[in-house]
Amino acid sequence: MPKNWKQLARTTTATLSRRTLKSSHDSAAVKPLSSTIPKDQQHPRTTAPAQHLAEFFARYPCFKYNPKASVSAEFYRLIEIYGWERDLKKAWEGFSRAMGKQFSTYYGSRVDDINAWQRLCVELKVNPVPQTIPKCKAVINSTHVNLVDFIDTRITGIPIKKFATQEELRTYTKETRKIFPKESAKQSGVLQYLLRKIFAI
């Protein structure tokens, strides 16, 4: 955990980029999510409340949380309002847990659950949605996106931005400071497979 908020931009960020995702459960017989959804409805653009994040921000009465804004932007605004130094570590840890729980709520957490992988593909606007875990992973493995955007898209309705290279993703992450806490990976089995290092420590 960095000592002050300016150092957050140098912490480990969890983003989705090229990586081989392995699972011993790839061949598990699971009913695909997309098989139960009409093809013309597989990629709805919907928003949903971020309940876990709302609960986190509610701990700070002097802060008025904007549920329609980017979660990372709201966290930085919280830091600025409170002017933290001593209590920042505790806040970061709470934010990390809330981010992990929110990701799991939106997308699932089990690496052997095809529905979790297909939800990621749906948000990436993959059409048709792959019907097996290996095929879902292949799509994700060839895509560069910021992991915070997976949560933001459910809140703001703004589609996830894709990048041609990991370097472009790195630049975007640094400029936006959209840092997904690596500690939150403990909240989601799927999330552990998506962790990346963008910033040197």
Side-chain angles (χ1 to χ4, degrees):
M1 172 65 204
K3 294 182 180 179
N4 58 65
W5 73 270
K6 291 182 179 180
Q7 289 178 303
L8 286 172
R10 295 195 293 273
T11 61
T12 299
T13 183
T15 52
L16 179 58
S17 61
R18 296 180 188 274
R19 183 179 181 183
T20 300
L21 307 180
K22 298 181 180 180
S23 172
S24 60
H25 304 286
D26 284 352
S27 61
V30 183
K31 187 175 183 180
L33 172 69
S34 58
S35 67
T36 64
I37 303 175
K39 288 187 176 181
D40 62 347
Q41 298 178 23
Q42 285 183 11
H43 302 85
R45 170 48 51 201
T46 59
T47 59
Q51 184 61 36
H52 298 293
L53 289 160
E55 291 173 357
F56 163 75
F57 287 116
R59 300 174 189 173
Y60 304 97
C62 293
F63 179 78
K64 186 175 181 180
Y65 170 54
N66 180 358
K68 296 182 180 180
S70 167
V71 294
S72 56
E74 286 300 277
F75 182 71
Y76 290 123
R77 190 166 66 84
L78 175 70
I79 293 173
E80 292 175 357
I81 288 176
Y82 275 81
W84 278 320
E85 288 186 5
R86 184 181 61 181
D87 296 330
L88 179 57
K89 180 178 180 180
K90 182 178 179 181
W92 176 258
E93 291 174 348
F95 183 63
S96 298
R97 288 191 293 271
M99 288 279 277
K101 290 179 180 178
Q102 199 62 60
F103 184 94
S104 295
T105 297
Y106 284 155
Y107 301 103
S109 61
R110 290 175 49 191
V111 296
D112 62 340
D113 181 6
I114 192 173
N115 291 337
W117 294 106
Q118 287 184 325
R119 290 186 187 104
L120 298 180
C121 290
V122 166
E123 288 299 348
L124 293 175
K125 295 185 178 295
V126 177
N127 195 359
V129 174
Q131 298 297 300
T132 67
I133 290 177
K135 289 183 179 180
C136 287
K137 287 183 178 180
V139 171
I140 291 171
N141 192 41
S142 63
T143 306
H144 301 289
V145 295
N146 181 283
L147 198 51
V148 175
D149 284 344
F150 272 104
I151 290 181
D152 279 353
T153 191
R154 290 297 189 95
I155 297 172
T156 66
I158 298 174
I160 295 174
K161 185 177 179 63
K162 300 180 185 179
F163 301 91
T165 67
Q166 186 166 333
E167 185 57 37
E168 290 181 6
L169 169 62
R170 182 177 292 110
T171 299
Y172 170 82
T173 302
K174 290 180 178 179
E175 291 178 348
T176 62
R177 295 188 299 169
K178 287 190 173 183
I179 302 169
F180 201 107
K182 67 177 182 179
E183 296 89 349
S184 63
K186 299 176 182 178
Q187 303 293 333
S188 172
V190 172
L191 187 54
Q192 293 183 52
Y193 284 83
L194 308 181
L195 287 171
R196 300 292 183 273
K197 283 187 178 181
I198 294 297
F199 297 102
I201 296 177

